[in-house]
Amino acid sequence: LLELHAGELSHYALAEARGLSSLGYVFMTFNARRLSRKYHTKAGAVALRSGNPSAIAFAWFTLGSLDFFEGLWDACETDFEKSATAYREAGDIHGWGGAQLLLTFVIYFRGNLPLAVKLNSELVHAGEDAAEPQVASWGYQNLGYPGLAAGPLDEAIASLRKGQALAAKIPAWQNLVYEMGLLAKCHVLQGRLDDARAILGEAFRIIKVEKMNLPFDQAEVLTAQATVD
């Protein structure tokens, strides 16, 4: 709100666009999606008018997140592609990594496993080359999805453990519990139920301690728990 207010008062389009996008994201989080789309649409127009790659990238990213939650797959895939391109042009590897991460979710859920592997491998390599552990951990995390779906499970587990170690060190709690949920699912498929339960117990402890109350934060751990039960 402060960024939006300052941007409107000073006619600084970059601050105004980011403020509008941020407010739209907040409304999305609280499921006020019609209001969220109103703010995202306005943010996109202001960002394009500013010509600032960071503002444009953030506007596409937040709109893509809304389209993702509403199941608009064609739209959100395009949104995240545009966001990743704009972040790359801005030289923002962390922003690019976040957009690429969500793009790989969409690609995976739409069934294109080879492309999901390719894009997530790019995340890992870019993160490691730039010494950006969050980006690398995101890549390792989402390499777990195609590995879980098509194998080999040992490779998926190796990727997830690398990502888990990075996420714990940062710390990046949402990233960490997602990787733990995926690891538990891998162990269930291997018949290692005790190992799966141990991982989930620790994941639920982290969720409680860090007050991770949003459904999206808990999704992988809850679905993993269902496979154990």
Side-chain angles (χ1 to χ4, degrees), residues 12-96:
Y12 183 37
L14 173 58
E16 185 181 355
R18 288 186 61 85
L20 288 166
S21 291
S22 297
L23 197 54
Y25 199 87
V26 170
F27 283 129
M28 180 197 72
T29 301
F30 289 97
N31 211 32
R33 296 184 183 179
R34 184 177 298 177
L35 195 56
S36 174
R37 188 167 295 280
K38 176 182 176 181
Y39 277 90
H40 285 315
T41 300
K42 188 174 180 181
V46 174
L48 288 171
R49 190 168 71 245
S50 76
N52 185 285
S54 293
I56 294 168
F58 189 59
W60 282 121
F61 180 84
T62 53
L63 178 61
S65 299
L66 176 61
D67 287 336
F68 179 87
F69 279 109
E70 294 195 326
L72 302 174
W73 299 115
D74 288 339
C76 70
E77 185 173 340
T78 298
D79 296 338
F80 291 135
E81 286 174 344
K82 290 181 177 179
S83 178
T85 298
Y87 272 126
R88 188 183 297 112
E89 291 174 354
D92 183 347
I93 186 172
H94 194 271
W96 168 81

Side-chain angles (χ1 to χ4, degrees), residues 6-217:
E8 289 176 334
L9 287 178
S10 63
H11 303 290
Y12 183 37
L14 173 58
E16 185 181 355
R18 288 186 61 85
L20 288 166
S21 291
S22 297
L23 197 54
Y25 199 87
V26 170
F27 283 129
M28 180 197 72
T29 301
F30 289 97
N31 211 32
R33 296 184 183 179
R34 184 177 298 177
L35 195 56
S36 174
R37 188 167 295 280
K38 176 182 176 181
Y39 277 90
H40 285 315
T41 300
K42 188 174 180 181
V46 174
L48 288 171
R49 190 168 71 245
S50 76
N52 185 285
S54 293
I56 294 168
F58 189 59
W60 282 121
F61 180 84
T62 53
L63 178 61
S65 299
L66 176 61
D67 287 336
F68 179 87
F69 279 109
E70 294 195 326
L72 302 174
W73 299 115
D74 288 339
C76 70
E77 185 173 340
T78 298
D79 296 338
F80 291 135
E81 286 174 344
K82 290 181 177 179
S83 178
T85 298
Y87 272 126
R88 188 183 297 112
E89 291 174 354
D92 183 347
I93 186 172
H94 194 271
W96 168 81
Q100 182 100 336
L101 172 75
L102 291 185
L103 176 61
T104 64
F105 270 116
V106 178
I107 297 296
Y108 166 74
F109 289 138
R110 301 189 86 176
N112 192 338
L113 300 189
L115 181 56
V117 170
K118 177 181 180 293
L119 295 179
N120 283 307
S121 296
E122 289 176 3
L123 276 172
V124 170
H125 295 149
E128 291 179 342
D129 289 347
E132 174 46 274
Q134 179 65 86
V135 173
S137 185
W138 282 334
Y140 283 126
Q141 169 191 300
N142 274 19
L143 279 172
Y145 283 99
L148 183 63
L153 286 176
D154 287 343
E155 291 183 12
I157 289 170
S159 291
L160 289 166
R161 284 179 175 162
K162 289 177 181 177
Q164 181 184 4
L166 290 170
K169 188 175 181 180
I170 294 169
W173 300 118
Q174 185 190 73
N175 185 191
L176 177 60
V177 298
Y178 259 67
E179 285 164 330
M180 296 174 81
L182 291 168
L183 269 171
K185 290 179 180 180
C186 288
H187 288 325
V188 168
L189 290 177
Q190 292 178 320
R192 297 164 57 187
L193 297 184
D194 288 342
D195 290 338
R197 292 189 182 100
I199 291 171
L200 290 175
E202 177 60 13
F204 280 118
R205 185 194 69 80
I206 292 170
I207 287 170
K208 181 178 180 180
V209 169
E210 300 302 325
K211 297 180 174 60
M212 301 172 67
N213 299 319
L214 295 176
F216 190 72
D217 293 338

